[in-house]
Amino acid sequence: MKIGNFVSFRDVKLEDGFWQKKYDLNKNVSIFSVRDRFEETARFDAMRFNYLKTGKKPHIFYDSDVAKWVEGVAYIMEHDRESMKENEKLIDEMVDAMAEAQREDGYLNSYHQQIEPEKIFKIRTNHELYCCGHFIEAAIAYHHATGKRKLLDIMEKYVDCIIRAFVTEKTADFATPGHEEIELALYKLYRYTGEKKYADLAKHFLTRRGVAEEDRGYYDLKHSYATQDNADIYSLREAVGHSVRALYLYSAITDLLQEEGDVRLKSSLDSVWRDIVDGKMYITGGVGSTHRYEGFTLPYDLPNMGAYSESCCAIAFIMWAMRMRVVERNAEYGHVIERIAYNNLISPVSLDGKGFFYENPLEIAKEDYGREVACTPENREHLPIRQRVEVFHCSCCPPNINRWFAEMAEVACFDEDITYIEQYISCTANGKYGAIRIKENYAVDGKAEISSVNYTAGKIAVRIPEWCTTYTAVLNGNRVNGASEKGYAYFEVDEKFTLSLDFNIAPIFISANANVRANAGRVALCYGPLVYCLEGVDNGDRLNKISVDVDELSDAKIYSDFHGFNSIEMRGYRDEDNGKLYFNAKEKRTKEVTLKFIPYYAFANRGDTDMLVWVREK
Amino acid sequence: MKIGNFVSFRDVKLEDGFWQKKYDLNKNVSIFSVRDRFEETARFDAMRFNYLKTGKKPHIFYDSDVAKWVEGVAYIMEHDRESMKENEKLIDEMVDAMAEAQREDGYLNSYHQQIEPEKIFKIRTNHELYCCGHFIEAAIAYHHATGKRKLLDIMEKYVDCIIRAFVTEKTADFATPGHEEIELALYKLYRYTGEKKYADLAKHFLTRRGVAEEDRGYYDLKHSYATQDNADIYSLREAVGHSVRALYLYSAITDLLQEEGDVRLKSSLDSVWRDIVDGKMYITGGVGSTHRYEGFTLPYDLPNMGAYSESCCAIAFIMWAMRMRVVERNAEYGHVIERIAYNNLISPVSLDGKGFFYENPLEIAKEDYGREVACTPENREHLPIRQRVEVFHCSCCPPNINRWFAEMAEVACFDEDITYIEQYISCTANGKYGAIRIKENYAVDGKAEISSVNYTAGKIAVRIPEWCTTYTAVLNGNRVNGASEKGYAYFEVDEKFTLSLDFNIAPIFISANANVRANAGRVALCYGPLVYCLEGVDNGDRLNKISVDVDELSDAKIYSDFHGFNSIEMRGYRDEDNGKLYFNAKEKRTKEVTLKFIPYYAFANRGDTDMLVWVREK
């Protein structure tokens, strides 16, 4: 059940534009900065099995942190191996150490081998299979980029060990991973090597979830931290639990659907998709609204201040949406990818490429920090950090971002019977039907130009953005109307063509569903794919004093002054403090102010200041 | 530094009206219900020193729970001893057991003697002095009501033990109480017995606070749970920490000020008063906005959903305001007492008199309960209970309410050079200048009639309510204008007079200070002293979908159909759910609805339903 494929990022060359800048920042700054922080925090040492030497204890998830970084390096090598020379050396030496440390039976985990060997495959929540999954992805990427088999061999040997422990000999004390990820990695390995046993193991893990007797002991955790054990994969109805794990699971289920075409799986996945997209997704594309178990709560529960909206979710959600697109021709998947890409995916990274957010709140009010003056540290309420940092104790997000930016050009084009332009990203893409060029300044002027380098399909489809109400298309200088279906417009084209699209971008205020309590009486300013926000540095702190009249947006001024993107100015109103705690509502006064909105993703790059996405309607 | 005294509740006879009904409910239902729950939960057994017999472990605060109940019973006896016959017997038998259990040296505490005798006066946070304080108050009340000295003798002997442990021999491991209360009780005991040593001990505790070396070990708790150790009592500037403890402390400091007239104390207390009244007080008069340490946070931090607003604070705050009135002629103290009395003081008790709230939120949204579906019980967010219960594990509030309703008629009149009518409560009050009658249906029609039974002062003053903008006064049938000062109007009267006051009550929407983030763009409906709320049972759940146009309040309909009080109906608007999660703000639709507001204090008496005080402005 596959209707096509995304054009591999290996066949997409980013060209001058926003996304190339983001790509370069990752390649030139972030990947090195993350490496240095990982070196300092003994993450590489963990994989060098240096614990006895350094005394620095590995953590149960260190392998996965390193693996994601390796994967990112490998993807960058595909286009510029030279730039990663230093990193390649580091990786090769580390892989040598891993080969030496790998047990006779294939087992390989820096934490368990060095710290708790007696607990290997005994504790479901200990992330062993998750770590393995990430190293499988890294091994594939590294082999493809360098031709070096060593890491891939290590991981194939490890997977054989896992097959014995979980399938043939069943020596493991649990049946399915506490943290999903290996499932989708195994499908990747299967597709890369052609070895059916990897797909079989993935399916084994997927189909045992929620039903395996061996996991029963963990089932009382099903309403606790994390695991998606509430239903078997054929009966999913809603998104629950830890959201990164959930989205990796849904991705792997979609892989299984792609392989075997079982329509029950499509129905499961469709239910979960709707549950998220219709009620559990922030306007930024973020998901997972509670910090308590980093996860999904109930529909419409989308608090702004405490929005967890983990950076890893942005990536996992795009990964799933891409897989869904592979089984269904529907522009909605591209809409969601665009929403995430321009907001929750890029808000984690500082404009200088070094700092990262793990949580991506939609509101910061400094007044709330330390309000509980008499709290002990253990007793304090959870509030997200207000400035990005270079490394976390649990630093899953930074290397995930490293690898994702290195491969995300893959979201641009989808090859079916024709090419679908899924995302407007300046690039040249070499697909099944030849090469196409996309040129855009999409998030600034709402325009994109698609042209052939050489293109043979005779037809092309473009995704009409969700925010676009009317557009114009000009083909080789002539206004044309494309036939529309499921969010795509179709155009007949020659081998040589230029299609200019203007989606009539304009600022717009968005309301949320009446059930979203946090946004009652509030609006969010959007401009094309970008969600905007107010920051204290421009508008004064205590941003909830501010209200807007949505009808006055027509007078807004747009300045292309913000790191190549637009800032938007409009009239607003600020409640005045009359010194009284309570007073007759008729005495309430506001004063006119000029508001400056900036793209949400760029918040917290100009010092410690308040931020607000959902602004009160006057 | 005393300018007068409240007319003792013993000299006030409540007459037909709202407050008499509340008094009777307490006397006929609540006091018995609390007794029964305390019997079931072995609280009386604790004081009978029955632990070895029953095996039911006393808690460190059980003595105080029982003491407050005894105090309540004693106050009721002042007007109707017969009605408490059964309770008197219970108390006498318990007092016998206490006398037997009291140590040779005077020490008496059901927890420490039975469970941890080795820790007597070793652990500051163990509530021993707090428990003693409450039993001192109970002993005075019981002696006054019955003439029986036994309990008073016990407590005087215990206080002598405390003087040795904390002052003369200094055997205690700490200097000042972890939970304040004994200080104000000691002033009461001093005034009741005339024994200076009690005032000295109170002053000792007060002046050692925040400076005593012996408490240093607890000072790192000063930014943690509870204790008011942040400053000495002459240097207080803001209200911090556990709010019940803070308010008991401020009350005792005011007692010290009354006794010694040190103006530095007045300046300390004035600062703290303003800090609370101008920024830390809910519109209901509730204080203490965080559940984490049951305490004060920062100015303007007044969340509605999580409003802790502990019932005991309502009482403690009134106690302090009354003491402040004793040193300063200013109607503001009466304003605050009224605000608390009609809202946060009575919201804890169910209309049937049996159920109690500990926390008094200003919003209930059922959708928030259980939203974190994958939480373990330990990990769950704190949310207040939605229905009143008859007893708590920490059941400080119910007996506090028992004693307070039994004596609160004392707030009615204040005797200075003349009589000040402080609160409009139907009663006959026998003060210094003879007897006065107050007749009112104040919270319904905004009127009150003050008449002489026999009155000799030649002048009378009445507090003009904070909410009143214009009033009319009719003296013996003639319109008169009283001279105004600091919120009071003064009238020349004969021995025989009838003064009819009409404060022109009307519904009004109140705004909160622009810095109160929780109430930005919101208004609260008030009617005279009463704050109103919406309940789901009348208006449908998800009350944040509702908005009001404040100008439409003039069309409101007022029905006197709610337990003798008014309900208020007006037009409102409910956001419609169009099925989309995000959409163009211009497509937002609301539908007209008729809203029904009821007095806040009566919320949660008609089943489990949403509630909202601060409603969105359209």
Side-chain angles (χ1 to χ4, degrees):
Chain A
M1 199 180 184
K2 282 191 195 186
I3 58 171
N5 275 304
F6 280 91
V7 175
S8 166
F9 75 93
R10 297 176 177 100
D11 299 317
V12 178
K13 204 183 147 338
L14 290 174
E15 288 173 358
D16 192 36
F18 177 74
W19 289 103
Q20 194 195 22
K21 282 199 197 90
K22 287 280 165 207
Y23 179 90
D24 286 346
L25 192 68
N26 182 53
K27 174 184 163 184
N28 299 327
V29 179
S30 308
I31 203 111
F32 290 100
S33 170
V34 170
R35 182 197 65 189
D36 294 346
R37 300 298 85 72
F38 279 12
E39 198 61 89
E40 286 161 16
T41 52
R43 279 166 160 88
F44 289 118
D45 275 328
M47 298 314 303
R48 293 176 192 125
F49 288 75
N50 268 347
Y51 167 58
L52 282 183
K53 226 183 284 172
T54 64
K56 288 179 185 164
K57 217 169 165 176
H59 197 280
I60 54 165
F61 46 60
Y62 272 9
D63 300 34
S64 64
D65 289 348
V66 172
K68 279 182 275 190
W69 179 85
V70 171
E71 191 183 346
V73 169
Y75 292 153
I76 294 170
M77 283 175 165
E78 296 278 354
H79 291 295
D80 183 1
R81 187 162 171 179
E82 185 59 23
S83 69
M84 293 292 114
K85 228 169 110 180
E86 227 182 274
N87 292 334
E88 187 173 345
K89 189 161 168 273
L90 185 158
I91 294 168
D92 286 342
E93 285 169 8
M94 184 183 73
V95 169
D96 288 343
M98 289 169 68
E100 206 163 306
Q102 185 167 34
R103 287 201 329 196
E104 197 62 32
D105 66 355
Y107 184 85
L108 183 72
N109 179 286
S110 77
Y111 174 81
H112 276 281
Q113 286 179 258
Q114 297 184 93
I115 309 297
E116 290 198 298
E118 71 284 5
K119 296 214 175 128
I120 286 171
F121 295 148
K122 297 280 174 232
I123 298 171
R124 189 179 180 222
T125 47
N126 266 8
H127 288 45
E128 290 158 285
L129 298 171
Y130 165 77
C131 285
C132 176
H134 274 303
F135 253 118
I136 291 170
E137 291 197 85
I140 296 167
Y142 199 65
H143 177 256
H144 193 283
T146 63
K148 295 177 187 171
R149 278 208 65 92
K150 195 164 188 176
L151 184 56
L152 190 59
D153 287 339
I154 290 172
M155 295 317 294
E156 289 199 84
K157 189 173 168 192
Y158 187 8
V159 175
D160 284 339
C161 162
I162 291 170
I163 292 171
R164 287 192 305 277
F166 287 85
V167 185
T168 54
E169 297 168 12
K170 286 190 193 298
T171 51
D173 275 4
F174 53 94
T176 70
H179 193 313
E180 296 90 330
E181 209 286 333
I182 194 171
E183 301 89 337
L184 72 88
L186 286 166
Y187 279 115
K188 226 183 217 184
L189 187 60
Y190 157 62
R191 288 166 186 168
Y192 193 67
T193 62
E195 289 277 4
K196 181 79 170 31
K197 64 181 175 183
Y198 301 133
D200 289 345
L201 180 58
K203 186 176 179 183
H204 173 84
F205 284 142
L206 290 175
T207 53
R208 299 287 290 148
R209 177 164 296 274
V211 298
E213 275 306 321
E214 306 92 297
D215 290 346
R216 287 281 163 216
Y218 293 92
Y219 279 20
D220 50 357
L221 282 174
K222 88 178 168 195
H223 286 297
S224 80
Y225 185 59
T227 55
Q228 279 62 40
D229 292 319
N230 59 309
D232 68 79
I233 60 167
Y234 301 97
S235 318
L236 302 178
R237 288 298 167 262
E238 49 182 8
V240 300
H242 189 282
S243 23
V244 174
R245 301 178 196 201
L247 291 162
Y248 285 157
L249 174 66
Y250 308 150
S251 296
I253 297 172
T254 316
D255 285 332
L256 173 58
L257 171 64
Q258 289 175 11
E259 295 304 326
E260 303 195 356
D262 189 327
V263 290
R264 290 176 303 163
L265 295 177
K266 182 65 165 61
S267 143
S268 257
L269 293 165
D270 284 347
S271 296
V272 175
W273 178 270
R274 289 257 66 82
D275 186 47
I276 296 175
V277 171
D278 295 345
K280 295 179 178 174
M281 177 180 70
Y282 284 98
I283 192 168
T284 56
V287 298
S289 58
T290 179
H291 69 91
R292 283 203 176 68
Y293 47 90
E294 306 188 302
F296 291 108
T297 60
L298 295 175
Y300 308 119
D301 174 46
L302 295 165
N304 294 309
M305 182 78 71
Y308 200 71
S309 216
E310 185 184 334
S311 308
C312 282
C313 279
I315 294 163
F317 198 5
I318 294 179
M319 284 166 56
W320 181 34
M322 289 176 75
R323 283 166 171 77
M324 290 295 277
R325 176 65 182 87
V326 171
V327 296
E328 186 188 341
R329 186 186 311 125
N330 191 328
E332 190 178 18
Y333 303 113
H335 296 339
V336 168
I337 291 169
E338 175 179 302
R339 184 185 290 280
I340 302 168
Y342 279 95
N343 302 288
N344 200 52
L345 177 70
I346 53 177
S347 61
V349 189
S350 62
L351 294 178
D352 71 4
K354 290 186 179 173
F356 298 93
F357 276 136
Y358 189 110
E359 299 171 50
N360 297 276
L362 278 77
E363 177 174 4
I364 290 176
K366 283 188 295 172
E367 67 201 76
D368 266 10
Y369 288 70
R371 67 183 189 91
E372 294 179 321
V373 286
C375 263
T376 51
E378 320 78 61
N379 196 24
R380 214 163 271 162
E381 74 181 318
H382 175 88
L383 287 168
I385 57 170
R386 300 199 298 261
Q387 293 283 293
R388 294 169 184 85
V389 297
E390 296 195 14
V391 68
F392 300 88
H393 168 66
C394 174
S395 213
C396 50
C397 303
N400 217 355
I401 289 163
N402 285 158
R403 68 162 180 158
W404 188 253
F405 275 93
E407 66 170 322
M408 85 158 275
E410 189 148 322
V411 298
C413 301
F414 190 79
D415 276 342
E416 249 180 270
D417 46 346
I418 57 168
T419 302
Y420 285 78
I421 307 301
E422 289 286 323
Q423 302 297 331
Y424 299 97
I425 293 180
S426 287
C427 68
T428 306
N430 266 291
K432 204 160 119 186
Y433 310 103
I436 277 168
R437 168 165 293 138
I438 307 174
K439 232 179 113 178
E440 51 86 28
N441 196 12
Y442 179 68
V444 171
D445 62 14
K447 295 178 188 169
E449 190 186 270
I450 322 294
S451 58
S452 56
V453 178
N454 62 326
Y455 185 69
T456 58
K459 230 185 191 180
I460 196 159
V462 300
R463 184 179 59 85
I464 306 304
E466 197 179 7
W467 49 266
C468 167
T469 48
T470 59
Y471 69 94
T472 55
V474 174
L475 184 61
N476 303 327
N478 304 311
R479 261 306 265 276
V480 287
N481 288 316
S484 274
E485 210 191 317
K486 294 206 169 173
Y488 295 100
Y490 293 81
F491 300 93
E492 306 287 337
V493 294
D494 298 324
E495 269 182 54
K496 198 97 194 135
F497 74 90
T498 300
L499 177 65
S500 300
L501 299 161
D502 184 346
F503 297 116
N504 291 312
I505 200 167
I508 180 180
F509 275 118
I510 297 294
S511 288
N513 187 284
N515 291 311
V516 181
R517 193 164 124 270
N519 299 340
R522 291 173 182 266
V523 288
L525 181 63
C526 292
Y527 182 83
L530 290 165
V531 175
Y532 276 67
C533 70
L534 293 173
E535 278 206 299
V537 66
D538 300 311
N539 304 288
D541 283 342
R542 293 196 179 258
L543 295 163
N544 278 288
K545 289 185 182 177
I546 287 170
S547 58
V548 292
D549 179 341
V550 298
D551 291 327
E552 292 178 352
L553 182 56
S554 47
D555 304 330
K557 293 195 183 106
I558 299 174
Y559 300 96
S560 52
D561 63 350
F562 202 83
H563 300 270
F565 273 1
N566 294 328
S567 70
I568 300 173
E569 276 188 13
M570 72 173 286
R571 193 177 305 121
Y573 303 87
R574 183 173 257 270
D575 291 352
E576 291 196 295
D577 176 1
N578 61 7
K580 298 179 200 161
L581 184 54
Y582 301 112
F583 57 93
N584 187 333
K586 297 199 174 180
E587 293 165 15
K588 188 175 150 183
R589 298 290 171 265
T590 62
K591 72 164 184 242
E592 254 187 58
V593 289
T594 300
L595 301 177
K596 178 174 180 165
F597 289 86
I598 63 157
Y600 164 77
Y601 82 84
F603 82 92
N605 273 288
R606 295 173 296 158
D608 186 15
T609 188
D610 284 7
M611 183 274 289
L612 187 67
V613 169
W614 289 94
V615 183
R616 286 193 295 124
E617 270 185 279
K618 193 181 149 71
Chain B
M1 198 179 187
K2 282 190 194 186
I3 58 171
N5 276 304
F6 280 91
V7 175
S8 164
F9 75 93
R10 296 177 178 99
D11 298 318
V12 178
K13 206 185 146 338
L14 290 173
E15 288 175 356
D16 192 36
F18 176 73
W19 290 103
Q20 194 194 24
K21 282 199 196 91
K22 287 281 164 207
Y23 179 90
D24 286 347
L25 192 68
N26 182 53
K27 173 184 163 183
N28 299 326
V29 180
S30 308
I31 203 109
F32 291 99
S33 170
V34 170
R35 181 197 66 191
D36 293 347
R37 299 298 84 72
F38 279 12
E39 197 63 89
E40 287 161 17
T41 53
R43 277 166 161 87
F44 290 117
D45 275 327
M47 298 314 304
R48 292 177 195 123
F49 288 76
N50 268 347
Y51 168 57
L52 283 183
K53 228 184 282 174
T54 64
K56 288 179 184 162
K57 216 168 164 175
H59 197 280
I60 54 163
F61 46 61
Y62 272 9
D63 299 35
S64 64
D65 289 348
V66 171
K68 280 181 274 190
W69 179 85
V70 171
E71 192 184 344
V73 169
Y75 292 152
I76 294 169
M77 285 177 164
E78 296 278 353
H79 292 295
D80 182 1
R81 187 161 174 180
E82 184 61 23
S83 69
M84 295 292 114
K85 227 168 111 179
E86 228 182 89
N87 293 334
E88 188 174 344
K89 189 161 167 274
L90 184 157
I91 294 167
D92 286 341
E93 286 168 8
M94 184 182 74
V95 169
D96 289 343
M98 288 169 69
E100 206 162 306
Q102 185 167 35
R103 286 200 329 195
E104 197 62 34
D105 67 355
Y107 185 85
L108 183 72
N109 178 287
S110 77
Y111 174 81
H112 276 281
Q113 286 180 257
Q114 298 184 94
I115 310 296
E116 291 198 295
E118 71 285 4
K119 296 212 174 129
I120 286 172
F121 294 147
K122 297 280 174 233
I123 298 172
R124 190 178 180 221
T125 48
N126 265 8
H127 288 45
E128 289 158 285
L129 298 171
Y130 165 77
C131 285
C132 175
H134 275 303
F135 253 118
I136 291 170
E137 291 198 82
I140 296 167
Y142 198 65
H143 177 256
H144 192 283
T146 64
K148 295 177 187 169
R149 278 208 65 92
K150 195 165 189 175
L151 184 56
L152 190 60
D153 288 340
I154 291 172
M155 295 317 294
E156 290 198 85
K157 188 174 168 192
Y158 186 9
V159 175
D160 285 339
C161 162
I162 290 170
I163 292 171
R164 285 194 305 278
F166 287 85
V167 184
T168 53
E169 297 169 11
K170 288 191 190 296
T171 51
D173 275 4
F174 54 94
T176 69
H179 192 315
E180 296 90 330
E181 210 285 335
I182 194 171
E183 301 89 337
L184 72 88
L186 286 167
Y187 279 114
K188 225 182 217 183
L189 188 60
Y190 158 61
R191 289 164 186 169
Y192 193 66
T193 62
E195 291 276 5
K196 182 78 170 31
K197 63 180 175 184
Y198 302 133
D200 290 343
L201 180 58
K203 188 178 178 182
H204 173 85
F205 284 142
L206 290 175
T207 53
R208 299 288 290 149
R209 176 163 299 274
V211 296
E213 276 306 320
E214 306 93 295
D215 290 347
R216 288 280 164 215
Y218 293 92
Y219 280 18
D220 51 356
L221 282 173
K222 86 179 168 193
H223 286 296
S224 79
Y225 184 57
T227 55
Q228 279 63 39
D229 293 320
N230 58 309
D232 67 80
I233 60 167
Y234 300 98
S235 318
L236 302 178
R237 288 298 168 263
E238 49 182 10
V240 299
H242 189 283
S243 25
V244 175
R245 299 178 196 198
L247 291 162
Y248 285 158
L249 173 66
Y250 308 149
S251 296
I253 297 172
T254 317
D255 284 332
L256 173 58
L257 171 65
Q258 290 174 12
E259 294 305 327
E260 304 194 356
D262 189 327
V263 290
R264 290 176 302 163
L265 295 176
K266 183 65 165 58
S267 145
S268 257
L269 294 165
D270 283 347
S271 295
V272 175
W273 178 270
R274 289 259 65 82
D275 185 49
I276 297 175
V277 171
D278 294 345
K280 295 180 177 174
M281 177 180 72
Y282 284 97
I283 193 169
T284 56
V287 297
S289 58
T290 179
H291 70 90
R292 283 202 176 71
Y293 48 90
E294 307 187 303
F296 291 108
T297 60
L298 294 175
Y300 309 119
D301 175 47
L302 295 165
N304 294 307
M305 181 78 70
Y308 200 71
S309 215
E310 185 183 335
S311 308
C312 282
C313 279
I315 293 163
F317 198 5
I318 294 179
M319 283 167 55
W320 180 35
M322 289 175 75
R323 282 166 173 77
M324 289 294 277
R325 176 65 183 88
V326 170
V327 296
E328 185 188 342
R329 186 187 310 126
N330 191 330
E332 190 178 18
Y333 302 113
H335 296 339
V336 168
I337 292 170
E338 176 180 301
R339 183 185 290 279
I340 303 167
Y342 279 95
N343 301 288
N344 200 52
L345 177 71
I346 53 178
S347 60
V349 190
S350 63
L351 294 177
D352 70 4
K354 290 187 178 172
F356 297 93
F357 276 136
Y358 190 111
E359 298 170 53
N360 297 275
L362 277 78
E363 176 173 6
I364 290 175
K366 283 189 294 171
E367 67 201 78
D368 266 11
Y369 289 69
R371 67 183 188 91
E372 295 179 320
V373 286
C375 264
T376 52
E378 320 79 61
N379 195 25
R380 213 164 272 161
E381 73 182 319
H382 175 88
L383 288 168
I385 56 170
R386 299 199 298 262
Q387 293 284 292
R388 295 171 184 83
V389 299
E390 296 194 17
V391 69
F392 300 88
H393 168 65
C394 173
S395 213
C396 50
C397 303
N400 217 355
I401 289 163
N402 285 157
R403 68 163 180 156
W404 189 252
F405 275 94
E407 65 171 322
M408 84 159 274
E410 191 149 319
V411 298
C413 301
F414 189 80
D415 275 344
E416 250 180 90
D417 46 345
I418 58 169
T419 302
Y420 286 78
I421 306 301
E422 289 287 322
Q423 301 297 331
Y424 299 97
I425 294 180
S426 288
C427 68
T428 306
N430 266 290
K432 202 159 120 188
Y433 310 103
I436 278 167
R437 168 166 292 139
I438 307 173
K439 232 180 114 177
E440 51 86 30
N441 196 13
Y442 179 69
V444 171
D445 61 14
K447 294 178 188 169
E449 192 186 89
I450 322 295
S451 58
S452 57
V453 178
N454 62 328
Y455 185 70
T456 58
K459 232 186 190 179
I460 196 160
V462 300
R463 184 178 59 85
I464 305 304
E466 198 179 5
W467 50 265
C468 168
T469 48
T470 59
Y471 69 94
T472 56
V474 174
L475 184 62
N476 303 325
N478 304 310
R479 253 322 253 276
V480 287
N481 288 316
S484 274
E485 211 192 316
K486 294 204 169 175
Y488 294 101
Y490 292 80
F491 300 93
E492 305 286 337
V493 293
D494 298 324
E495 268 181 55
K496 199 99 195 133
F497 74 90
T498 300
L499 176 66
S500 300
L501 299 160
D502 184 346
F503 297 116
N504 291 312
I505 200 166
I508 180 179
F509 276 119
I510 297 293
S511 288
N513 186 284
N515 291 310
V516 182
R517 192 164 124 270
N519 299 340
R522 292 172 181 268
V523 287
L525 181 63
C526 292
Y527 182 84
L530 290 165
V531 174
Y532 276 67
C533 70
L534 294 172
E535 278 206 297
V537 65
D538 299 312
N539 303 288
D541 284 342
R542 293 194 180 258
L543 295 164
N544 279 288
K545 289 185 182 177
I546 287 169
S547 57
V548 292
D549 178 341
V550 297
D551 291 327
E552 292 178 353
L553 183 57
S554 48
D555 304 330
K557 293 194 184 109
I558 298 172
Y559 300 97
S560 53
D561 63 350
F562 201 84
H563 301 271
F565 274 1
N566 294 327
S567 69
I568 300 174
E569 275 188 15
M570 71 172 285
R571 193 177 307 120
Y573 303 87
R574 184 173 256 271
D575 292 351
E576 291 196 295
D577 176 1
N578 61 6
K580 298 180 202 161
L581 185 52
Y582 301 111
F583 57 93
N584 188 331
K586 297 200 174 180
E587 292 166 16
K588 189 175 150 183
R589 299 286 173 267
T590 61
K591 73 165 184 237
E592 252 185 60
V593 289
T594 300
L595 301 177
K596 180 176 178 163
F597 288 86
I598 64 156
Y600 164 76
Y601 83 83
F603 81 91
N605 273 288
R606 295 172 296 158
D608 187 14
T609 187
D610 283 6
M611 182 274 288
L612 187 67
V613 170
W614 290 94
V615 184
R616 285 194 295 123
E617 269 185 279
K618 193 181 150 71

